[in-house]
Amino acid sequence: MAKLVKTEAVVEGRTEERWTLVEEDATPEWEAGSTPAVVGEPATRLTAAARLTGTATYTSDVRLPGQLEAAVLRSPHAHARLASISLDAARGLPGVRAVIGPGDCPDFEGATVLHEEPPYAGAAVAAVAAETADAANAALVALDPVWEPLGFVTDLDQALENQTFQEDPSEYERGDAEAALAAAEIVVESEYVAPAQLHNALESHCAVADWRADGVTLYSSTQAIYQARSQISEAFDVDADRVRVICHYMGGGFGAKFGCGHEGILATELSRRAGRPVRLVLGRRDENLTTGFRTPARVSYRIGATRDGTLQAVEASAVMGLGTGGWGYPVLEPVKSLYAIEHLHLMTLPMRQNLGPAAAFRAPGVMEGTFAFEQALDEVAEAAGIDPLELRRRNHTDVDPSNGRPYTSKRLLESYDLAAELAGWDARDALRGDGRIRRGMGCASQYWWGSGAPPAYAEVRIGAAAKPVLTVGLQDLGTGVITACAVVVAERLGIRPADVTVRAGDTDLAGHGPFSGGSMTLASIAPAVRSAGHHVRTQLLELAADMFEISAEDLELVDGEVRSADGTLHHPIHEVTGKLGNAWVTGSGSRAPNPDGMAVNTFGCQIAQVAVDTLTGLVTVERIVAVHDVGRIVNPMGARSQVLGGILQGIGFALSEERVVDPTTGTVVNAGLEDYKVPTMADMPEVVCQFVGEPDPRLALGVKGLGEPPVIPTAGAIGNAIAHALGMRLREAPYTPRRVLEALG
């Protein structure tokens, strides 16, 4: 029986209350200490062959009959007024089928899509759809816009001086920080600067819209097909049941692709006007000007501690440059929630600038906040004269210090111990030297949420061939969640994960599923998948019991067979399912709420070893030890892949990636990949990856999220390793050769 329940979900630090429909579920949990079959064993991605052979169809690959190509005119100015534009001239060109300008396109969640007064360089002003890309680009030229440039603010300090906030500043107080700092035996003050990092997903933002009389179909490279459906429904006043969103394959998003995006609104409006399908694919420069970035931040700390390293109080402020969008990301969350600190006074100032909109980027806020705070803590450890890891151990907390809630599970101390052992932490000072190449080792803690939450639904069916089909209402960001779902079903049905077909990425296929982000996806969907699989298992065992005249309670499904508990009966599962003919056995499952009154978080520790060339200023990351406490590991091969990707992204943040804005024009000067250095596999150091691996006893399946955790501590650990190597601290990332040499004098 289904029922509506009210529940909480923590999404990237924001607590949401939701009503959700859940079904009663009698699926038994795995016994503590048991090792369920196939779960925890390496499984090759089900989508690997399609991705590697090029047969996978991404949104940018979609070709529909009669499809038109779209292009967008964007402002070259950081702030300007459109004095004139020749829309009719563009409409008169051969092959042009639709042209829209300011005022011609629905708003996107209350915001203008085509601007008459573009607020940043790269803002969309007009869009065209034509028979070919060349015709569309010719139409952009024919638009012949005339601009009146206006004043702009892109500098963070200028925005702060002008008090131009993207949203109201926020303040958090606990205890009496001012008094505690006055009484502290040690007070350390520091300021760190984090860069604007660009997402650079392999597949850029893109959409193909097909407007028909009976509804809209949108192919979208999106992390949230259901959110995209709602946004199209609202923008165009079309019933949601008449909007279908499809995302079969996706080339990454890292947080910048929630919903349908401006490209989805523009493609749909152009399709509505042209009466034909329209494809809009952003080029790399447009992608890096308009679709988001990790928020640059300047974070200042006053940290008070006792001489034994016990943290007493922190005053901190974070000034963030949000451009024209985004929200107040939780840059100070590590201060608030990671350690037992009684007295806090924190202030966050989200500034508005004439730059493109900020967007969530893998662990938004927490990653850059960890980069800064974990280095500030090393400064406290140095002032107190104690080991940095020991300082973190001494300030460990057993409850969430922000609300006093107990954790469902926490193994951070085990993570410290294991990481230290694997890295050889006790001998780290032996790495140092005074030659041209200096080596050092640094650590950083990891904190994130990742509990998962309802709503999430799944359906499983199995037919005569005994090859189950799992249907889930989510999209695969490229993280391997499809394969993890197959593993969960395979365990219930006693078969191999490779024998499971998973259908996803289509709002017409199944009930609601989670978005792909915030480390929420697998932790949300896996319990629903297991429940659906268990319902099918129960029915198969009952059918087998009838066939073999034995109690269902004495049967099990193992290695593709129906077996009796006493080992005397062995029959392939397809002997049972073969009797179904063209019928199916079906089962459905839903995700239940998390336990009330408890904090669900992930933890971990990374230790970086670096070599710094004091002649060239080049920093090389030689080794990263990554130990994470993320609950049960469903597919260790996929989990390790996530860790490697997160670490490489963290290395980019620490050493090379930085959006550069020309202060005289307010334009981004390195939007292309020829000028913006994204690390490649050639930059990947040796990585020692371990999971504490204990299932969370209070969560269904014991699973937590892993998408965010690996990227969070990497840059902070590298910064601390550089300081250990050089005996001096650099407080602004990325740690390019120029900055290193300037620091060395």
Side-chain angles (χ1 to χ4, degrees):
M1 179 178 294
K3 59 182 179 180
L4 280 170
V5 299
K6 196 172 187 179
T7 182
E8 283 187 356
V10 183
V11 182
E12 296 179 339
R14 295 174 293 183
T15 300
E16 299 177 359
E17 285 196 347
R18 304 169 173 173
W19 282 100
T20 185
L21 182 71
V22 299
E23 299 175 4
E24 289 186 359
D25 185 12
T27 309
E29 281 295 324
W30 291 307
E31 294 182 6
S34 66
T35 304
V38 305
V39 175
E41 299 175 5
T44 302
R45 290 194 187 199
L46 298 186
T47 59
R51 291 179 187 272
L52 293 174
T53 59
T55 57
T57 302
Y58 294 81
T59 298
S60 53
D61 296 324
V62 171
R63 299 290 188 278
L64 301 179
Q67 181 173 295
L68 302 173
E69 298 297 327
V72 178
L73 176 71
R74 299 185 184 278
S75 170
H77 299 287
H79 188 198
R81 184 177 296 112
L82 185 62
S84 68
I85 188 168
S86 302
L87 299 177
D88 288 339
R91 291 184 180 115
L93 290 182
V96 176
R97 299 293 176 248
V99 178
I100 54 177
D104 292 336
C105 183
D107 288 348
F108 178 53
E109 296 194 316
T112 301
V113 176
L114 296 178
H115 298 267
E116 193 161 13
E117 186 178 314
Y120 63 93
V125 174
V128 303
E131 298 287 350
T132 65
D134 287 343
N137 288 327
L140 293 188
V141 174
L143 289 170
D144 192 23
V146 176
W147 310 98
E148 293 178 6
L150 302 172
F152 62 87
V153 175
T154 55
D155 180 73
L156 194 58
D157 291 328
Q158 185 66 54
L160 184 59
E161 184 178 330
N162 294 351
Q163 299 283 287
T164 51
F165 297 105
Q166 176 64 21
E167 62 180 43
D168 290 339
S170 61
E171 204 166 2
Y172 175 85
E173 288 191 84
R174 184 162 84 209
D176 187 342
E178 185 176 354
L181 281 165
E185 296 171 320
I186 295 171
V187 176
V188 171
E189 298 187 32
S190 59
E191 181 175 284
Y192 287 84
V193 178
Q197 185 182 25
L198 302 173
H199 295 72
N200 276 310
L202 194 60
E203 181 189 36
S204 65
H205 285 62
C206 51
V208 178
D210 189 7
W211 181 285
R212 302 288 181 94
D214 58 350
V216 184
T217 298
L218 181 72
Y219 297 82
S220 175
S221 181
T222 177
Q223 296 176 236
I225 54 176
Y226 285 94
Q227 183 183 8
R229 185 178 72 165
S230 297
Q231 290 169 337
I232 293 293
S233 169
E234 181 177 346
F236 293 92
D237 195 23
V238 178
D239 188 89
D241 290 335
R242 297 176 64 196
V243 178
R244 181 184 183 188
V245 177
I246 299 171
C247 178
H248 287 147
Y249 286 92
M250 191 177 178
F254 306 122
K257 290 183 177 174
F258 287 104
C260 68
H262 286 198
E263 68 279 6
I265 298 292
L266 288 171
T268 303
E269 177 61 20
L270 289 168
S271 176
R272 188 180 70 83
R273 289 176 179 250
R276 290 166 61 177
V278 171
R279 183 180 77 139
L280 176 55
V281 181
L282 268 63
R284 183 58 56 184
R285 289 178 181 277
D286 289 349
E287 176 82 2
N288 281 337
L289 290 175
T290 66
T291 65
F293 52 87
R294 184 185 297 284
T295 310
R298 187 175 62 245
V299 193
S300 303
Y301 302 102
R302 286 186 71 216
I303 303 175
T306 60
R307 293 199 183 281
D308 69 357
T310 302
L311 299 172
Q312 301 288 296
V314 179
E315 281 185 350
S317 66
V319 184
M320 295 184 287
L322 293 180
T324 49
W327 51 282
Y329 302 105
V331 174
L332 298 179
E333 188 68 29
V335 185
K336 182 179 168 185
S337 301
L338 185 50
Y339 300 104
I341 310 174
E342 187 175 354
H343 305 282
L344 297 180
H345 185 189
L346 314 177
M347 180 170 285
T348 303
L349 301 102
M351 309 311 302
R352 182 176 178 84
Q353 306 153 289
N354 291 107
L355 291 165
F361 191 161
R362 202 170 188 175
V366 173
M367 187 271 198
E368 45 271 38
T370 298
F371 153 79
F373 189 53
E374 287 293 303
Q375 293 193 73
L377 284 186
D378 264 33
E379 295 195 58
V380 175
E382 184 178 353
I386 64 174
D387 179 273
L389 263 180
E390 180 58 25
L391 179 134
R392 287 161 173 81
R393 290 190 184 99
R394 290 182 186 181
N395 292 284
H396 181 268
T397 175
D398 291 324
V399 298
D400 184 335
S402 66
N403 54 33
R405 290 182 174 184
Y407 297 107
T408 54
S409 68
K410 182 178 183 180
R411 294 182 170 82
L412 181 56
L413 291 176
E414 293 174 48
S415 301
Y416 289 148
D417 294 343
L418 182 54
E421 178 185 345
L422 293 170
W425 179 263
D426 290 344
R428 72 180 190 126
D429 284 343
L431 290 170
R432 305 178 72 184
D434 56 5
R436 172 178 164 178
I437 305 298
R438 312 276 179 84
R439 286 186 166 77
M441 188 181 287
C443 71
S445 302
Q446 174 257 307
Y447 166 95
W448 185 253
W449 298 276
S451 64
Y457 306 96
E459 297 172 0
V460 175
R461 74 176 193 226
I462 193 167
K467 300 289 181 69
V469 176
L470 164 66
T471 305
V472 285
L474 55 77
Q475 53 294 306
D476 187 355
L477 180 61
T479 58
V481 67
I482 294 294
T483 305
C485 286
V487 169
V488 173
V489 168
E491 184 275 335
R492 282 291 79 191
L493 300 181
I495 60 172
R496 302 179 306 157
D499 290 332
V500 180
T501 297
V502 182
R503 293 181 176 169
D506 188 337
T507 54
D508 274 8
L509 276 181
H512 192 280
F515 57 78
S516 296
S519 302
M520 298 284 287
T521 318
L522 183 61
S524 296
I525 196 68
V529 169
R530 186 165 186 267
S531 176
H534 185 74
H535 289 165
V536 171
R537 172 192 174 92
T538 302
Q539 294 172 73
L540 287 180
L541 291 177
E542 289 172 350
L543 294 175
D546 292 340
M547 285 181 58
F548 303 125
E549 298 182 343
I550 183 173
S551 170
E553 295 179 353
D554 294 329
L555 294 174
E556 56 186 1
L557 302 177
V558 181
D559 293 338
E561 292 185 337
V562 180
R563 294 180 185 173
S564 61
D566 62 7
T568 59
L569 183 145
H570 296 258
H571 292 277
I573 294 175
H574 63 73
E575 280 192 21
V576 179
T577 57
K579 302 296 188 294
L580 294 171
N582 291 321
W584 296 326
V585 173
T586 63
S588 62
S590 61
R591 211 286 195 183
N594 294 321
D596 291 332
M598 304 197 76
V600 186
N601 292 92
T602 60
F603 301 93
C605 174
Q606 287 187 11
I607 295 177
Q609 178 180 317
V610 304
V612 184
D613 188 328
T614 56
L615 182 63
T616 65
L618 183 67
V619 177
T620 302
V621 180
E622 296 184 323
R623 192 169 189 245
I624 297 278
V625 171
V627 177
H628 292 278
D629 167 23
V630 293
R632 184 188 299 277
I633 302 301
V634 174
N635 177 12
M637 185 183 294
R640 176 176 167 79
S641 175
Q642 281 282 47
V643 172
L644 294 179
I647 287 173
L648 198 58
Q649 223 158 24
I651 289 173
F653 177 95
L655 300 185
S656 65
E657 294 191 57
E658 181 179 28
R659 182 195 62 188
V660 178
V661 178
D662 181 345
T664 64
T665 64
T667 57
V668 176
V669 299
N670 62 341
L673 289 176
E674 70 274 25
D675 299 315
Y676 182 95
K677 173 70 169 63
V678 177
T680 68
M681 288 305 292
D683 300 297
M684 180 69 84
E686 175 191 1
V687 174
V688 179
C689 170
Q690 292 276 342
F691 299 101
V692 176
E694 293 296 326
D696 189 315
R698 297 184 183 275
L699 296 181
L701 279 67
V703 173
K704 298 179 185 176
L706 179 58
E708 264 71 15
V711 78
I712 291 170
T714 306
I718 291 171
N720 282 332
I722 293 172
H724 183 235
L726 298 179
M728 60 188 301
R729 189 162 291 277
L730 283 68
R731 296 191 175 90
E732 181 174 3
Y735 303 120
T736 59
R738 174 182 66 80
R739 288 198 173 105
V740 172
L741 291 177
E742 286 177 353
L744 290 171

